[in-house]
Amino acid sequence: MQTAVLSPSFTPLLRKSHDPLAMKQPFLRLRPLAAASSSAVTSSSSFHGLPGPRPLVSLPSLSDRRPKDALVLRATSVPESASPSDGDGASKSDGMLQTLQLGSLFGLWYLFNIYFNIYNKQVLKVFPFPLTVTTVQFAVGTVLVLFMWATNLYKRPKISASQLVAILPLAAVHTMGNLFTNMSLGKVAVSFTHTIKAMEPFFSVLLSALFLGEMPTIWVVLSLMPIVGGVALASLTEASFNWAGFWSAMASNVTFQSRNVLSKKVMVKKEESLDNINLFSIITIMSFFLLAPITLFVDGIRVTPSYMLSAGLDLKQIYLRSLLSALCFHAYQQVSYMILARVTPVTHSVGNCVKRVVVIVTSVLFFRTPVSPINSLGTGIALAGVFLYSRVKRIKPKAA
């Protein structure tokens, strides 16, 4: 509306162009509205009772133009047809938020795992007792879980005896998987341990077929061949190779994939009082009580402070790095279970293999591990097979 922006200085121009008296009587001088009204009052005394002239200007004020103002008000209203597009935008934003959350979980999973491997390897190099190291990690996790429940940071679950019996196998394979991983890290290089653990898709496909009834396609089976071949080539040229470290890493593959498949079956039941966080918390506590008596019986006096001092070890550094390792251990395991609740076991295994790439590269750079060209080629073939596996896994078989 153009009239809404006119200033008072434009009033004389409007009077000149719209007033019929101004057009017929050019000898009349145009004056501002205030002056014209005052002259009309004094003119009655000047002409001795004669009626004064009509006001030269009788323009309607801007506030009187109500029909046009109503049009402006109607123009500012929001049409109802815009609501569906708003709903589409909200759904897109929700999908974007979920994607960002899942990506953040994967990033935290990788970061905590990198620091866990670095601190854990530093401890195991000077303190070759993987049973005790694993028990300490479960003990720190148990303390964190109990603190979380006691302070109501997370609601404590109401769990029945039948649920505890169902979770016990999960705790057993979880305990063995972490113990085997620490045994392998204590014997061989971090990069070689994770190269062997790149075979997890093979065991994931096998166990998913056996326990979940998920039969792989021919393309999935073919994609596993470079993974197995690459691991074999890297093993033949590994400088730190020994059979104890090799078979420990292979055993951790079997136990971890068994845990993932079994935990997926437990979480599918959707118990209201037992979500993935509480499931992992209960597994951690169970693992500690399962492993602590074995540790006391096997290691015994060799892990006491007096024995460690007599061996010339720096207790402060060992305790500090063991604590940091245990904290990172619990954090990355917790995030791993949070991811497993959102994806399938096979997708979780693929993400785990991508994590291997990051851990292998960072460990080689941090520990300056010597890597031969053939070893690098074998590792690259295995990781390329993992990528190929992740691509062909999305191809769904045709319905019969």
Side-chain angles (χ1 to χ4, degrees):
M1 298 173 56
Q2 295 179 355
T3 58
V5 295
L6 293 179
S7 62
S9 61
F10 286 88
T11 304
L13 296 178
L14 289 175
R15 289 199 307 233
K16 183 176 181 180
S17 58
H18 294 285
D19 194 349
L21 294 178
M23 296 176 63
K24 293 181 180 180
Q25 301 176 11
F27 60 91
L28 296 176
R29 280 193 302 173
L30 299 178
R31 288 171 295 177
L33 183 60
S37 60
S38 63
S39 64
V41 175
T42 57
S43 60
S44 59
S45 61
S46 300
F47 290 92
H48 304 285
L50 295 178
R54 291 182 302 168
L56 298 180
V57 178
S58 181
L59 288 177
S61 63
L62 296 178
S63 60
D64 293 334
R65 302 188 180 187
R66 294 175 183 176
K68 293 185 179 180
D69 291 341
L71 291 176
V72 175
L73 294 176
R74 286 195 296 268
T76 57
S77 62
V78 180
E80 295 180 356
S81 61
S83 58
S85 62
D86 294 341
D88 295 339
S91 61
K92 290 180 180 179
S93 62
D94 291 341
M96 181 84 61
L97 180 60
Q98 293 178 0
T99 302
L100 290 176
Q101 289 177 349
L102 186 60
S104 300
L105 289 176
F106 271 97
L108 291 175
W109 187 24
Y110 295 173
L111 183 65
F112 287 135
N113 200 275
I114 289 172
Y115 280 103
F116 162 73
N117 282 277
I118 291 176
Y119 291 131
N120 205 34
K121 182 62 177 180
Q122 290 176 339
V123 172
L124 290 170
K125 284 176 66 176
V126 298
F127 186 72
F129 298 102
L131 197 59
T132 299
V133 171
T134 307
T135 304
V136 170
Q137 292 167 358
F138 287 137
V140 173
T142 300
V143 172
L144 292 176
V145 169
L146 295 178
F147 175 79
M148 178 178 64
W149 287 344
T151 57
N152 290 326
L153 291 177
Y154 203 83
K155 185 178 180 181
R156 185 177 61 182
K158 296 179 180 179
I159 188 167
S160 62
S162 60
Q163 288 178 319
L164 290 175
V165 172
I167 296 173
L168 185 59
L170 285 176
V173 294
H174 179 77
T175 304
M176 291 187 294
N178 286 282
L179 176 60
F180 287 137
T181 299
N182 284 335
M183 291 173 62
S184 180
L185 290 173
K187 296 293 184 179
V188 296
V190 175
S191 58
F192 182 55
T193 297
H194 287 278
T195 299
I196 300 173
K197 290 173 72 66
M199 286 188 63
E200 282 191 351
F202 173 82
F203 295 101
S204 177
V205 170
L206 178 62
L207 295 175
S208 295
L210 292 176
F211 296 101
L212 300 180
E214 299 177 358
M215 302 305 297
T217 63
I218 185 62
W219 301 110
V220 171
V221 175
L222 292 176
S223 68
L224 297 176
M225 296 178 63
I227 298 177
V228 177
V231 170
L233 183 61
S235 301
L236 293 175
T237 57
E238 174 61 35
S240 63
F241 178 86
N242 65 70
W243 287 109
F246 175 82
W247 287 116
S248 297
M250 293 295 286
S252 70
N253 285 336
V254 177
T255 53
F256 273 136
Q257 293 311 304
S258 299
R259 180 203 65 182
N260 290 343
V261 173
L262 290 174
S263 62
K264 196 68 177 182
K265 291 177 70 69
V266 171
M267 283 188 285
V268 165
K269 296 179 181 179
K270 297 185 182 298
E271 298 285 348
E272 294 183 358
S273 61
L274 187 62
D275 57 8
N276 59 316
I277 295 180
N278 282 325
L279 176 62
F280 172 70
S281 300
I282 294 172
I283 288 175
T284 300
I285 297 174
M286 284 185 171
S287 297
F288 170 70
F289 284 105
L290 287 173
L291 197 59
I294 301 174
T295 302
L296 293 175
F297 179 78
V298 175
D299 289 344
I301 194 174
R302 294 183 298 175
V303 297
T304 58
S306 58
Y307 180 87
M308 295 168 63
L309 286 173
S310 63
L313 300 178
D314 190 344
L315 292 181
K316 182 179 179 180
Q317 289 296 323
I318 291 179
Y319 289 160
L320 176 61
R321 295 179 190 276
S322 297
L323 178 61
L324 293 174
S325 174
L327 292 174
C328 293
F329 167 81
H330 183 78
Y332 97 77
Q333 293 278 7
Q334 180 68 78
V335 176
S336 175
Y337 263 75
M338 294 173 65
I339 295 174
L340 187 60
R342 291 168 168 82
V343 299
T344 63
V346 176
T347 303
H348 184 275
S349 177
V350 172
N352 204 15
C353 290
V354 175
K355 180 197 67 181
R356 306 285 178 216
V357 180
V358 181
V359 173
I360 288 172
V361 173
T362 54
S363 64
V364 168
L365 296 176
F366 184 84
F367 294 106
R368 299 180 181 179
T369 306
V371 180
S372 65
I374 302 298
N375 185 277
S376 301
L377 178 62
T379 303
I381 292 175
L383 297 177
V386 172
F387 176 77
L388 180 62
Y389 167 83
S390 64
R391 301 298 296 178
V392 301
K393 187 60 184 176
R394 300 181 180 181
I395 302 177
K396 298 182 179 179
K398 296 182 179 179

